[in-house]
Every structure is written in C-alpha cells, then in structure tokens.
Amino acid sequence: ERNEKWERVINLMNSSNPSDWRLAIMEADIMLEELLRTLGLHGDSVGEMLKSADRNEFSSLDDAWDAHKVRNAIAHSGQGFDLSERETKRVLALFEKVFKEFGVIQ
C-alpha cells in the first residue's frame, strides 16, 4: 500500500534543489514523530521519545537517532547547513529502515 507522505519525501529527495533535500529530511522526521506517538512512546519531542524507546522492541533505534540528529542540524542551521545529495540519500535510507521495521512503508 502506498504511503503518500513517504512518496512526497522521495520526490523531494530526487530533486536537484538542495532546499528540497533539506525539506525531505524535515518531512521524514515529522513522519518519525507520528510513528513514535503511535507506538505510545513518552516525551514532548522526538529525542525524548527515542530516549524512552526499548532497544529490544526497536532494532532500528540507532538509525532513528542518526537521522534525527541530522534533522536537528538542518533545523538549527537552515540554509547554512551544507547538505549533499549523497548525505540526503544516506539519511533517508536510515528513516526508511525505521519505517519498514514498523510497517509505515512496505
């Protein structure tokens, strides 16, 4: 089944515009936040929810942290964050692992 939010992220990733790459990561992180809330994790932020996650029930937890840290760097530096196409694809592959683990995407 298609996930339109994820398809939008992929379309942004495939753009030639670096501001779209930043947006792709920001939007993937919003999807991560929605997933963590669905899982019933506690916290006001993605970071707090990840801290409360159980490694035994979240095998891609390190991937989620890695991806979220890049999102934070982008959020805090904006246009000043130098994001390459290669790094964008690496980070979105991390989000993809998390989303596949929990069935958000196929």
Side-chain angles (χ1 to χ4, degrees), residues 13-95:
M13 176 185 83
N14 289 330
S15 162
S16 56
N17 185 339
S19 66
D20 286 340
W21 303 339
R22 284 190 281 270
L23 190 56
I25 291 172
M26 300 298 286
E27 298 214 352
D29 198 75
I30 292 168
M31 290 178 64
L32 176 62
E33 181 172 6
E34 289 170 355
L35 168 63
L36 298 176
R37 295 212 185 283
T38 305
L39 294 173
L41 294 172
H42 300 292
D44 294 329
S45 65
V46 170
E48 283 180 24
M49 287 189 279
L50 289 174
K51 279 181 192 149
S52 74
D54 181 347
R55 225 165 245 294
N56 297 319
E57 297 168 9
F58 197 141
S59 64
S60 59
L61 186 58
D62 288 338
D63 301 306
W65 266 119
D66 190 2
H68 181 61
K69 282 177 184 160
V70 175
R71 176 265 173 210
N72 281 348
I74 293 168
H76 297 142
S77 332
Q79 300 295 328
F81 187 80
D82 188 26
L83 185 66
S84 67
E85 184 173 12
R86 186 172 169 203
E87 174 69 350
T88 303
K89 292 188 168 162
R90 182 190 77 83
V91 172
L92 288 167
L94 296 171
F95 279 115

Side-chain angles (χ1 to χ4, degrees), residues 3-14:
N3 184 309
E4 289 182 4
K5 288 181 183 171
W6 183 246
E7 286 183 3
R8 173 167 158 75
V9 167
I10 297 300
N11 287 337
L12 288 165
M13 176 185 83
N14 289 330

